[in-house]
Amino acid sequence: MFGTFVKKNKLSFQYWIGTRCLQILKIRLSNMDDAKTWPEVAKAAAEKRRELVLQGPAADTKISSHGGLHSSIYTLTLLNYFEVSQCPSLTEIHEDIQHLKNLQSLILCRNKLVRIPDTFSSLKSLKVLDLSSNNLDFLSESITQLSELTTLNVSCNRLEVLPNGLNNCVKLSTINMSKNRITGFPSDLYSERLDLLSNLVASDNAIVELSRDVHKLAGLKALDLSNNHLSEIPSSLSDCPKLKEINFRGNKLNDKRLEKMVNGCQTKSILDYLRGKAREGEEKGDAGRSGNDKRKRQQQKKKREEEDSQLEDVNKMVLRVLHVSEAREILTVRVSAEVKDVRPYLVCCVVRGMNLKPGNSLKRFLMAQTKLHEDICGKRTIATIATHDVQRLKGPLVYDAVPPTQLKIAPLGRKEMTAVELMRHLQLEADDLRKQKKRQNVTGLHKYLQLLKGKALYPCLVDAEGHVISFPPITNSEKTKIKKTTKELFLEVTSANSLQTCKDVMDTLIEKMAELNKFTAAQGEDDGSDEEGDATPDQTGSADTSSELIVQQVRTVDQDGNLKVVYPSKTDLSGDISNLTVIW
């Protein structure tokens, strides 16, 4: 009897052991499979990394085949930075993300997300949340419970409203809700609790009103409400003590004088005008008490009309297009057949009249170019901009694609090397940065390395002397680097997407240049000095304060000399900018 009992239990124990071993084997096989298909995740787990980045086509393929993010990602509880971007197969995030309680930055941009889970509210350490460029038409109130949140980016979605309760996020410093369908701000956004909110971007929406309570945002430094449906700007905006930059362009305001001002004047002038309107409103009740009131009002009206006329002239930005047949020196770019499978689309032009000498004008231009790369160029994945000093290059130019070992360039701030050496140096620098900061992502040129991964040929722009002046999307050449003394700029935009993409980016770049040039002329800054020494008057020309730009057409032809594109053409530079005049 006892022997039978022992025998049965022994068999049961052996069965349990066998079952358990089988389970462990399955788990290990699954982990091995994960390590093969999701090596970034396996590496992050093995090395106890604090950061994980899944980006681009390779990551999207895994997400598509798996039906979403792998569940093992949500077990990486040490992560403080997690990014999934440029993955159109990603439509939702699992609620298990609540387990990543140490996350400080969550970047989920350029995917196809349609919803975020309510469990976001568990991410109590989260400081940066980027949900831009998705398909969100609703934003869960869970984000209003993120008390440590400092930056919220929900731009380029389909949102019509923001959730109430954002004033609970008392550490918010930046909100970007541009390019949605939002008709108004939640009432509790105008809260004295948000005294750290310094940057509010809500351009390209359908907002009809800015509340008079906007003055409660005492920390506000920059406000962008361009391209909305506003008819009034409250005078109380001038009571924001730290406000330095505003943008209300593209709104049809009832006050036409104010509309002209927002399309061209500096922030200080606009705020002064709003203060003046507030004072007029206060004094309105006293009108008619003095016998001289009527004469004063007539004088004030006449003065305003004169100021309006002057204002229109000051605000006007002029672009003069120089036809290729009128140019004293014709610059042509020949495109080789080899670029077809690498980066086939290119447009170019020459710009004169850009004043880079005064104050920080060059720095402002370079910063604007960087911002365009981040925004409209999609971090160089959509297009890449390059700018050159015309005096430092010799035409005609050739846009070619060559093996990496044959491409030689002197990159900005570096000595001449082959593309292979440059990419290896950049990769080593990126690896060192990762080790030092214990992070997976990197900054600067290093973040663009993956854009050419697996390419047998690299694109390049070569001048008549055989010098590579551009290696898109990585870098320009030190040889043609622009400086404060640069008087003519050669602009190029390349893309793997389409020719229209290049044109749209070039249009935006030139419009931005016109805006910056007008700003420089209005500032009246002193001339700075170039790193090679102060330029003489003969080098810089006369102190011309005109902001007019001349855009010279550049022809792009194929190997046989047949015209591919000329930029700008009559269909280019046709954006709806009220104070920009294009003269053909």
Side-chain angles (χ1 to χ4, degrees):
M1 191 94 170
F2 178 75
T4 305
F5 174 79
V6 171
K7 186 176 181 181
K8 284 182 179 179
N9 279 276
K10 186 177 180 181
L11 289 172
S12 298
F13 180 72
Q14 288 175 340
Y15 174 77
W16 180 85
I17 287 292
T19 304
R20 184 60 181 155
C21 288
L22 186 60
Q23 288 174 343
I24 293 171
L25 180 61
K26 285 181 178 179
I27 290 171
R28 288 185 176 177
L29 288 172
S30 175
N31 289 340
M32 288 173 63
D33 184 56
D34 291 346
K36 291 178 181 178
T37 57
W38 298 80
E40 306 94 337
V41 180
K43 189 174 183 180
E47 298 180 5
K48 297 182 179 180
R49 286 185 172 243
R50 266 60 172 176
E51 185 167 325
L52 177 63
V53 177
L54 302 173
Q55 185 182 69
D60 187 53
T61 300
K62 297 170 190 173
I63 291 170
S64 177
S65 61
H66 191 75
L69 293 174
H70 197 278
S71 58
S72 61
I73 290 174
Y74 303 117
T75 66
L76 302 175
T77 55
L78 294 177
L79 289 182
N80 57 39
Y81 183 99
F82 181 33
E83 176 180 343
V84 187
S85 58
Q86 302 173 50
C87 296
S89 298
L90 185 65
T91 58
E92 61 180 36
I93 299 294
H94 197 273
E95 61 183 15
D96 283 349
I97 197 168
Q98 64 183 313
H99 301 308
L100 305 183
K101 296 185 184 297
N102 289 312
L103 273 185
Q104 294 183 20
S105 296
L106 179 57
I107 313 299
L108 299 171
C109 61
R110 300 184 182 279
N111 302 303
K112 296 291 183 183
L113 292 174
V114 295
R115 61 176 291 274
I116 60 171
D118 291 337
T119 53
F120 263 43
S121 59
S122 298
L123 306 178
K124 299 299 185 183
S125 299
L126 199 63
K127 295 180 179 180
V128 177
L129 177 58
D130 187 348
L131 298 168
S132 61
S133 300
N134 282 287
N135 290 337
L136 297 170
D137 55 16
F138 172 77
L139 206 55
S140 168
E141 289 190 3
S142 60
I143 66 167
T144 66
Q145 299 175 46
L146 303 176
S147 57
E148 295 296 315
L149 197 64
T150 62
T151 302
L152 174 63
N153 188 349
V154 291
S155 62
C156 303
N157 278 286
R158 302 172 181 177
L159 299 172
E160 295 182 2
V161 294
L162 289 182
N164 287 313
L166 281 175
N167 60 343
N168 294 324
C169 305
V170 294
K171 295 185 179 181
L172 268 175
S173 64
T174 299
I175 301 177
N176 187 342
M177 60 183 82
S178 60
K179 297 184 180 179
N180 278 283
R181 302 168 184 175
I182 295 168
T183 56
F185 296 115
S187 58
D188 59 6
L189 185 67
Y190 306 105
S191 172
E192 293 172 347
R193 299 182 67 193
L194 295 177
D195 58 343
L196 297 179
L197 183 60
S198 61
N199 192 3
L200 180 56
V201 183
S203 57
D204 299 286
N205 277 288
I207 297 170
V208 296
E209 182 183 16
L210 179 62
S211 171
R212 293 180 180 180
D213 290 335
V214 67
H215 72 277
K216 293 181 179 179
L217 299 175
L220 197 61
K221 295 179 181 178
L223 174 64
D224 188 348
L225 279 164
S226 58
N227 302 318
N228 276 283
H229 298 164
L230 295 172
S231 58
E232 302 284 347
I233 301 176
S235 299
S236 60
L237 182 65
S238 62
D239 294 328
C240 293
K242 295 184 179 180
L243 195 57
K244 299 295 182 185
E245 183 180 344
I246 56 176
N247 187 355
F248 287 95
R249 295 182 182 90
N251 288 285
K252 294 183 178 180
L253 303 177
N254 292 335
D255 186 333
K256 295 306 174 186
R257 183 170 187 238
L258 182 57
E259 185 174 313
K260 288 179 182 178
M261 293 185 75
V262 301
N263 283 327
C265 281
Q266 301 308 309
T267 296
K268 185 178 183 301
S269 301
I270 298 168
L271 294 179
D272 286 345
Y273 178 78
L274 291 173
R275 288 188 191 98
K277 282 190 68 178
R279 284 195 296 269
E280 283 180 16
E282 291 170 1
E283 297 169 359
K284 193 172 182 181
D286 298 331
R289 293 179 184 175
S290 168
N292 295 324
D293 278 349
K294 185 175 181 180
R295 186 170 56 191
K296 285 182 180 179
R297 286 196 296 272
Q298 288 175 340
Q299 290 173 345
Q300 289 171 352
K301 182 180 179 182
K302 184 178 180 181
K303 184 180 179 181
R304 280 197 298 268
E305 288 173 350
E306 291 174 353
E307 288 175 348
D308 285 348
S309 178
Q310 294 172 357
L311 185 64
E312 191 168 349
D313 292 337
V314 170
N315 287 344
K316 191 176 291 183
M317 298 187 297
V318 179
L319 289 177
R320 190 179 300 276
V321 177
L322 186 65
H323 193 272
V324 67
S325 62
E326 301 171 329
R328 61 178 182 268
E329 291 184 16
I330 299 175
L331 196 57
T332 303
V333 181
R334 189 178 300 273
V335 179
S336 74
E338 283 72 22
V339 301
K340 182 179 179 182
D341 298 322
V342 184
R343 199 175 183 87
Y345 304 108
L346 167 81
V347 295
C348 306
C349 68
V350 173
V351 174
R352 300 192 188 99
M354 189 72 185
N355 191 0
L356 301 174
K357 185 71 175 171
N360 291 320
S361 54
L362 176 59
K363 183 178 179 180
R364 284 193 294 268
F365 175 56
L366 296 176
M367 287 175 65
Q369 186 176 326
T370 299
K371 192 172 188 304
L372 289 175
H373 269 146
E374 291 295 310
D375 297 339
I376 191 173
C377 295
K379 297 182 179 179
R380 304 196 193 189
T381 59
I382 298 172
T384 304
I385 299 166
T387 56
H388 309 270
D389 188 329
V390 170
Q391 301 302 316
R392 295 170 178 267
L393 59 83
K394 186 173 181 180
L397 308 176
V398 176
Y399 183 48
D400 203 358
V402 298
T405 53
Q406 296 179 21
L407 194 162
K408 274 193 172 183
I409 186 172
L412 290 171
R414 300 171 187 259
K415 65 179 184 180
E416 186 179 67
M417 62 185 77
T418 67
V420 173
E421 292 171 325
L422 174 60
M423 298 295 272
R424 185 169 61 245
H425 282 202
L426 291 174
Q427 190 62 60
L428 288 172
E429 289 173 6
D431 291 340
D432 286 341
L433 280 172
R434 289 189 184 101
K435 289 176 183 177
Q436 289 172 18
K437 298 186 177 182
K438 295 183 179 179
R439 288 189 168 186
Q440 188 175 337
N441 74 323
V442 287
T443 57
L445 294 180
H446 312 99
K447 59 188 176 184
Y448 305 124
L449 295 178
Q450 52 94 16
L451 297 178
L452 289 176
K453 192 174 182 179
K455 300 289 186 184
L457 301 176
Y458 285 175
C460 58
L461 190 62
V462 186
D463 72 3
E465 295 177 339
H467 298 294
V468 174
I469 64 170
S470 179
F471 172 25
I474 304 299
T475 186
N476 296 3
S477 169
E478 182 73 21
K479 179 180 184 291
T480 56
K481 176 183 177 180
I482 62 172
K483 301 180 180 180
K484 282 180 173 288
T485 52
T486 298
K487 292 187 282 186
E488 291 182 79
L489 289 92
F490 177 77
L491 312 181
E492 62 163 285
V493 176
T494 60
S495 175
N497 288 17
S498 69
L499 183 63
Q500 191 59 47
T501 296
C502 292
K503 288 189 165 198
D504 290 345
V505 171
M506 186 69 87
D507 283 358
T508 305
L509 173 62
I510 292 174
E511 288 165 4
K512 187 63 181 178
M513 289 173 69
E515 181 183 324
L516 289 171
N517 216 35
K518 183 176 67 60
F519 177 85
T520 297
Q523 286 292 98
E525 297 171 298
D526 293 333
D527 283 359
S529 61
D530 190 64
E531 63 268 25
E532 295 178 350
D534 290 337
T536 65
D538 290 339
Q539 289 174 305
T540 59
S542 61
D544 185 10
T545 57
S546 170
S547 62
E548 178 178 300
L549 292 183
I550 296 174
V551 185
Q552 178 183 319
Q553 290 180 325
V554 169
R555 299 170 76 245
T556 302
V557 300
D558 64 17
Q559 286 182 308
D560 299 322
N562 300 312
L563 182 66
K564 289 175 69 69
V565 63
V566 60
Y567 182 91
S569 67
K570 289 282 187 180
T571 58
D572 302 317
L573 296 169
S574 56
D576 185 19
I577 300 179
S578 59
N579 60 326
L580 178 64
T581 301
V582 181
I583 302 174
W584 291 88

